[in-house]
Amino acid sequence: MNAIFTGTSRYVASDELMTAVNIAVTLQKPLLIKGEPGTGKTMLAQAVADALGKRLIIWNVKSTTKAQDGLYVYDVVQRLYDSQFGTHGVDDIAHYIKLGKLGEAFQSEEQVVLLIDEIDKADLEFPNDLLWELDQMEFHIPETRETVKAKQRPIVIITSNAEKELPDAFLRRCIFHYIEFPDQEQMERILRVHFGDLEGELVAQALAGFYWVRQLRDIEKKPSTSELVDWLRALAAGGVDPKRIQKEIPFAGVLLKKDKDLNTLRKALR
Protein backbone atom coordinates (compact mmCIF):
# COMPACT_ATOMS: atom_id res chain seq x y z
CA MET A 1 0.00 0.00 0.00
CA ASN A 2 1.29 3.49 -0.89
CA ALA A 3 2.30 5.83 1.91
CA ILE A 4 -0.12 8.70 2.51
CA PHE A 5 1.03 12.29 2.10
CA THR A 6 -0.03 14.41 5.06
CA GLY A 7 2.28 17.38 4.60
CA THR A 8 5.52 17.98 6.51
CA SER A 9 6.71 20.14 9.35
CA ARG A 10 8.18 22.51 6.74
CA TYR A 11 5.27 22.53 4.30
CA VAL A 12 1.75 23.52 5.30
CA ALA A 13 -0.69 21.82 2.90
CA SER A 14 -4.45 22.16 2.77
CA ASP A 15 -6.65 19.08 3.06
CA GLU A 16 -7.64 19.50 -0.60
CA LEU A 17 -4.01 19.56 -1.76
CA MET A 18 -3.08 16.51 0.30
CA THR A 19 -6.07 14.66 -1.17
CA ALA A 20 -5.03 15.61 -4.71
CA VAL A 21 -1.50 14.31 -4.11
CA ASN A 22 -2.74 11.02 -2.72
CA ILE A 23 -5.25 10.50 -5.55
CA ALA A 24 -2.50 11.11 -8.13
CA VAL A 25 -0.19 8.65 -6.40
CA THR A 26 -2.93 6.02 -6.13
CA LEU A 27 -4.09 6.39 -9.75
CA GLN A 28 -0.48 6.66 -10.98
CA LYS A 29 -1.21 9.82 -12.92
CA PRO A 30 0.75 13.08 -13.16
CA LEU A 31 -0.40 15.77 -10.74
CA LEU A 32 -0.72 19.15 -12.49
CA ILE A 33 -0.46 22.04 -10.04
CA LYS A 34 -1.44 25.60 -10.87
CA GLY A 35 -1.59 28.69 -8.70
CA GLU A 36 -0.26 32.22 -8.53
CA PRO A 37 3.42 32.73 -7.63
CA GLY A 38 4.19 32.16 -3.97
CA THR A 39 1.64 29.43 -3.31
CA GLY A 40 4.27 26.69 -2.89
CA LYS A 41 3.87 24.84 -6.19
CA THR A 42 7.54 24.01 -6.64
CA MET A 43 8.11 23.31 -2.95
CA LEU A 44 5.32 20.74 -3.00
CA ALA A 45 7.46 18.22 -4.87
CA GLN A 46 10.22 18.45 -2.25
CA ALA A 47 7.64 18.07 0.50
CA VAL A 48 6.16 14.95 -1.13
CA ALA A 49 9.63 13.47 -1.60
CA ASP A 50 10.57 14.19 2.02
CA ALA A 51 7.28 12.86 3.40
CA LEU A 52 7.38 9.64 1.38
CA GLY A 53 11.13 9.12 1.75
CA LYS A 54 11.92 9.33 -1.97
CA ARG A 55 14.57 11.02 -4.09
CA LEU A 56 13.54 14.17 -5.96
CA ILE A 57 14.53 14.74 -9.59
CA ILE A 58 13.85 18.24 -10.94
CA TRP A 59 13.38 19.07 -14.61
CA ASN A 60 13.39 22.86 -14.88
CA VAL A 61 11.59 23.84 -18.09
CA LYS A 62 12.69 26.93 -20.03
CA SER A 63 11.41 28.62 -23.17
CA THR A 64 14.00 26.72 -25.22
CA THR A 65 13.36 23.31 -23.63
CA LYS A 66 12.26 20.47 -25.91
CA ALA A 67 10.60 17.25 -24.77
CA GLN A 68 13.57 15.35 -26.20
CA ASP A 69 15.84 17.05 -23.65
CA GLY A 70 14.12 15.19 -20.85
CA LEU A 71 14.51 11.82 -22.53
CA TYR A 72 18.10 11.68 -23.76
CA VAL A 73 20.75 13.62 -25.64
CA TYR A 74 23.06 12.12 -28.26
CA ASP A 75 26.34 14.04 -28.15
CA VAL A 76 27.27 13.65 -31.81
CA VAL A 77 29.71 16.58 -31.63
CA GLN A 78 31.76 14.92 -28.88
CA ARG A 79 31.75 11.64 -30.82
CA LEU A 80 33.01 13.42 -33.94
CA TYR A 81 35.69 15.14 -31.91
CA ASP A 82 36.81 11.86 -30.34
CA SER A 83 36.89 10.13 -33.72
CA GLN A 84 39.32 12.73 -35.01
CA PHE A 85 41.74 11.96 -32.20
CA GLY A 86 41.27 8.20 -32.24
CA THR A 87 39.75 8.02 -28.80
CA HIS A 88 39.05 4.46 -27.62
CA GLY A 89 35.37 3.44 -27.62
CA VAL A 90 34.24 5.93 -30.23
CA ASP A 91 32.34 3.15 -32.04
CA ASP A 92 30.15 2.59 -28.99
CA ILE A 93 27.27 5.03 -29.57
CA ALA A 94 25.86 4.27 -26.11
CA HIS A 95 28.91 6.02 -24.68
CA TYR A 96 27.57 9.29 -26.14
CA ILE A 97 23.97 8.89 -24.99
CA LYS A 98 23.14 10.88 -21.87
CA LEU A 99 19.76 10.43 -20.23
CA GLY A 100 17.67 13.50 -19.41
CA LYS A 101 15.69 13.98 -16.22
CA LEU A 102 12.76 11.81 -17.37
CA GLY A 103 15.17 9.10 -18.50
CA GLU A 104 16.97 9.32 -15.16
CA ALA A 105 13.66 8.86 -13.33
CA PHE A 106 12.84 5.81 -15.49
CA GLN A 107 16.24 4.22 -14.85
CA SER A 108 16.07 4.60 -11.08
CA GLU A 109 15.90 1.30 -9.23
CA GLU A 110 13.68 2.92 -6.60
CA GLN A 111 10.60 5.06 -7.14
CA VAL A 112 11.42 8.76 -7.32
CA VAL A 113 9.44 11.99 -7.36
CA LEU A 114 9.86 13.78 -10.70
CA LEU A 115 9.11 17.51 -10.79
CA ILE A 116 8.50 19.03 -14.23
CA ASP A 117 8.64 22.65 -13.19
CA GLU A 118 6.85 25.44 -15.09
CA ILE A 119 5.80 23.36 -18.07
CA ASP A 120 3.98 26.32 -19.61
CA LYS A 121 7.28 28.11 -20.29
CA ALA A 122 8.00 25.76 -23.22
CA ASP A 123 6.31 25.88 -26.62
CA LEU A 124 2.79 24.58 -27.15
CA GLU A 125 3.94 21.24 -28.54
CA PHE A 126 6.02 20.38 -25.48
CA PRO A 127 3.23 18.78 -23.41
CA ASN A 128 1.87 16.82 -26.39
CA ASP A 129 5.36 15.50 -27.13
CA LEU A 130 5.38 13.85 -23.70
CA LEU A 131 2.00 12.11 -23.93
CA TRP A 132 3.34 8.65 -24.86
CA GLU A 133 6.20 8.76 -22.38
CA LEU A 134 4.01 9.78 -19.44
CA ASP A 135 1.30 7.28 -20.43
CA GLN A 136 3.44 4.25 -21.19
CA MET A 137 6.43 5.16 -19.03
CA GLU A 138 8.90 4.30 -21.79
CA PHE A 139 10.72 5.79 -24.77
CA HIS A 140 12.89 4.50 -27.61
CA ILE A 141 16.47 5.49 -28.45
CA PRO A 142 16.88 4.87 -32.22
CA GLU A 143 20.66 5.35 -32.14
CA THR A 144 21.13 2.33 -29.87
CA ARG A 145 17.86 0.53 -30.71
CA GLU A 146 17.13 0.50 -27.00
CA THR A 147 13.81 1.06 -25.27
CA VAL A 148 14.07 2.68 -21.86
CA LYS A 149 11.23 1.55 -19.59
CA ALA A 150 10.54 2.82 -16.11
CA LYS A 151 11.81 0.34 -13.54
CA GLN A 152 9.55 2.01 -10.99
CA ARG A 153 6.80 4.37 -12.10
CA PRO A 154 7.80 7.82 -10.77
CA ILE A 155 5.45 10.13 -8.92
CA VAL A 156 5.16 12.98 -11.42
CA ILE A 157 4.34 16.51 -10.27
CA ILE A 158 3.97 19.20 -12.93
CA THR A 159 3.69 22.91 -12.17
CA SER A 160 2.27 25.68 -14.35
CA ASN A 161 1.94 29.42 -13.88
CA ALA A 162 -0.85 29.48 -16.49
CA GLU A 163 1.26 31.53 -18.92
CA LYS A 164 -0.14 29.34 -21.70
CA GLU A 165 -3.16 27.06 -21.98
CA LEU A 166 -2.12 23.42 -21.97
CA PRO A 167 -3.50 21.01 -24.61
CA ASP A 168 -6.70 19.13 -23.76
CA ALA A 169 -5.10 15.77 -24.56
CA PHE A 170 -2.43 16.50 -21.95
CA LEU A 171 -4.91 17.75 -19.36
CA ARG A 172 -7.00 14.59 -19.68
CA ARG A 173 -4.06 12.53 -18.49
CA CYS A 174 -3.46 14.58 -15.34
CA ILE A 175 -5.00 15.02 -11.93
CA PHE A 176 -5.47 18.77 -11.58
CA HIS A 177 -5.31 20.97 -8.51
CA TYR A 178 -5.29 24.76 -8.21
CA ILE A 179 -3.57 26.01 -5.06
CA GLU A 180 -5.54 28.93 -3.74
CA PHE A 181 -3.55 31.74 -2.16
CA PRO A 182 -3.48 31.05 1.60
CA ASP A 183 -6.01 32.86 3.75
CA GLN A 184 -4.74 34.78 6.76
CA GLU A 185 -5.07 31.86 9.17
CA GLN A 186 -3.19 29.44 6.93
CA MET A 187 -0.56 32.07 6.16
CA GLU A 188 0.08 32.51 9.88
CA ARG A 189 0.73 28.76 10.11
CA ILE A 190 3.17 29.05 7.20
CA LEU A 191 4.97 31.94 8.85
CA ARG A 192 5.32 29.99 12.08
CA VAL A 193 7.29 27.41 10.11
CA HIS A 194 9.75 30.15 9.11
CA PHE A 195 9.57 32.29 12.25
CA GLY A 196 8.78 30.26 15.32
CA ASP A 197 10.16 32.95 17.65
CA LEU A 198 8.74 36.18 16.20
CA GLU A 199 6.72 38.43 18.47
CA GLY A 200 3.02 37.74 17.99
CA GLU A 201 1.90 41.35 17.57
CA LEU A 202 4.45 41.95 14.80
CA VAL A 203 3.22 38.90 12.90
CA ALA A 204 -0.43 39.92 13.36
CA GLN A 205 0.10 43.49 12.16
CA ALA A 206 2.33 42.40 9.28
CA LEU A 207 -0.30 39.93 8.11
CA ALA A 208 -3.01 42.59 8.29
CA GLY A 209 -0.87 45.02 6.32
CA PHE A 210 0.11 42.38 3.76
CA TYR A 211 -3.47 41.35 2.98
CA TRP A 212 -4.55 44.99 2.87
CA VAL A 213 -1.91 45.67 0.20
CA ARG A 214 -2.95 42.60 -1.79
CA GLN A 215 -6.56 43.75 -1.95
CA LEU A 216 -5.75 47.20 -3.34
CA ARG A 217 -7.60 47.33 -6.64
CA ASP A 218 -4.86 48.72 -8.89
CA ILE A 219 -1.97 46.56 -7.69
CA GLU A 220 -0.56 44.76 -10.75
CA LYS A 221 1.89 42.38 -9.07
CA LYS A 222 0.44 41.30 -5.78
CA PRO A 223 3.06 40.40 -3.16
CA SER A 224 3.44 36.67 -2.62
CA THR A 225 4.46 34.50 0.32
CA SER A 226 8.16 34.95 -0.40
CA GLU A 227 7.79 38.74 -0.28
CA LEU A 228 5.90 38.48 3.00
CA VAL A 229 8.67 36.33 4.51
CA ASP A 230 11.31 38.84 3.37
CA TRP A 231 9.21 41.74 4.66
CA LEU A 232 8.88 40.17 8.09
CA ARG A 233 12.64 39.66 8.22
CA ALA A 234 13.13 43.33 7.30
CA LEU A 235 10.60 44.50 9.92
CA ALA A 236 12.25 42.38 12.62
CA ALA A 237 15.77 43.47 11.64
CA GLY A 238 14.70 47.11 11.58
CA GLY A 239 13.07 46.89 15.00
CA VAL A 240 9.81 48.28 13.60
CA ASP A 241 7.08 48.91 16.18
CA PRO A 242 4.03 46.80 15.18
CA LYS A 243 1.76 49.84 15.78
CA ARG A 244 3.60 51.66 12.98
CA ILE A 245 2.27 49.13 10.47
CA GLN A 246 -1.26 50.25 11.30
CA LYS A 247 -0.47 53.67 9.81
CA GLU A 248 2.04 52.93 7.05
CA ILE A 249 3.82 50.11 5.22
CA PRO A 250 7.51 50.31 6.22
CA PHE A 251 10.03 48.99 3.68
CA ALA A 252 7.30 48.83 1.01
CA GLY A 253 9.90 48.04 -1.65
CA VAL A 254 10.29 44.59 -0.15
CA LEU A 255 6.63 43.84 -0.87
CA LEU A 256 6.07 45.68 -4.13
CA LYS A 257 8.42 45.54 -7.10
CA LYS A 258 6.83 47.95 -9.58
CA ASP A 259 6.84 51.75 -9.57
CA LYS A 260 3.15 51.82 -10.44
CA ASP A 261 2.29 49.57 -7.50
CA LEU A 262 4.33 51.70 -5.10
CA ASN A 263 2.50 54.80 -6.35
CA THR A 264 -0.83 53.03 -5.84
CA LEU A 265 0.19 52.25 -2.27
CA ARG A 266 1.24 55.84 -1.60
CA LYS A 267 -2.12 57.13 -2.81
CA ALA A 268 -3.99 54.60 -0.66
CA LEU A 269 -2.06 55.66 2.44
CA ARG A 270 -2.86 59.37 2.06
Side-chain angles (χ1 to χ4, degrees):
M1 183 177 178
N2 291 320
I4 301 298
F5 175 65
T6 57
T8 71
S9 61
R10 300 288 299 171
Y11 189 91
V12 178
S14 66
D15 290 342
E16 293 81 6
L17 178 56
M18 290 187 287
T19 298
V21 170
N22 291 318
I23 289 174
V25 171
T26 300
L27 298 183
Q28 296 185 328
K29 287 182 174 291
L31 175 62
L32 174 61
I33 296 292
K34 286 187 179 182
E36 68 175 89
T39 50
K41 299 186 298 297
T42 298
M43 292 174 60
L44 172 64
Q46 184 66 66
V48 171
D50 291 344
L52 303 184
K54 301 186 183 297
R55 181 165 67 98
L56 174 64
I57 296 176
I58 302 175
W59 183 7
N60 289 306
V61 177
K62 302 177 181 179
S63 60
T64 56
T65 302
K66 304 297 181 185
Q68 177 70 35
D69 300 335
L71 307 182
Y72 73 96
V73 175
Y74 172 32
D75 195 345
V76 65
V77 175
Q78 184 63 51
R79 189 183 182 206
L80 178 62
Y81 179 84
D82 289 347
S83 68
Q84 292 175 339
F85 290 90
T87 303
H88 178 71
V90 72
D91 292 333
D92 183 6
I93 296 179
H95 181 69
Y96 300 94
I97 298 292
K98 181 179 180 180
L99 293 178
K101 296 298 184 180
L102 192 60
E104 183 184 341
F106 285 4
Q107 284 287 75
S108 175
E109 296 291 341
E110 297 182 350
Q111 186 183 47
V112 300
V113 175
L114 171 66
L115 170 63
I116 305 177
D117 200 23
E118 299 188 326
I119 193 172
D120 53 324
K121 280 189 174 180
D123 63 44
L124 292 175
E125 291 305 314
F126 181 88
N128 281 335
D129 290 342
L130 288 176
L131 292 181
W132 171 266
E133 288 76 14
L134 292 177
D135 259 353
Q136 303 299 318
M137 286 288 148
E138 66 177 43
F139 62 89
H140 186 64
I141 303 178
E143 291 84 356
T144 60
R145 300 178 182 178
E146 175 190 6
T147 297
V148 178
K149 295 184 179 181
K151 296 179 179 179
Q152 298 288 339
R153 192 178 188 97
I155 297 170
V156 181
I157 297 176
I158 303 169
T159 69
S160 170
N161 287 322
E163 292 181 8
K164 299 187 187 83
E165 286 297 325
L166 299 175
D168 288 345
F170 181 80
L171 294 174
R172 283 196 297 270
R173 289 164 169 80
C174 298
I175 303 299
F176 174 75
H177 182 77
Y178 185 90
I179 300 182
E180 299 287 348
F181 196 83
D183 60 23
Q184 199 158 330
E185 181 180 349
Q186 185 179 6
M187 184 64 81
E188 184 171 358
R189 292 169 56 203
I190 293 171
L191 291 178
R192 289 302 175 190
V193 170
H194 294 274
F195 305 104
D197 56 349
L198 269 188
E199 191 249 319
E201 183 62 19
L202 179 63
V203 172
Q205 293 300 331
L207 278 171
F210 172 76
Y211 280 95
W212 177 78
V213 170
R214 277 184 57 86
Q215 60 84 35
L216 291 176
R217 188 176 61 180
D218 294 326
I219 294 292
E220 289 186 354
K221 186 183 183 303
K222 294 181 180 181
S224 66
T225 307
S226 61
E227 277 92 23
L228 174 57
V229 170
D230 288 342
W231 190 45
L232 260 173
R233 288 196 177 107
L235 294 172
V240 173
D241 186 336
K243 294 180 181 178
R244 181 180 165 192
I245 307 173
Q246 296 176 355
K247 304 174 183 178
E248 59 178 298
I249 300 295
F251 314 132
V254 180
L255 285 177
L256 301 174
K257 307 302 173 63
K258 290 189 174 185
D259 291 341
K260 182 179 177 182
D261 290 344
L262 286 169
N263 287 332
T264 297
L265 176 61
R266 292 187 192 103
K267 291 177 182 176
L269 288 170
R270 287 174 186 169

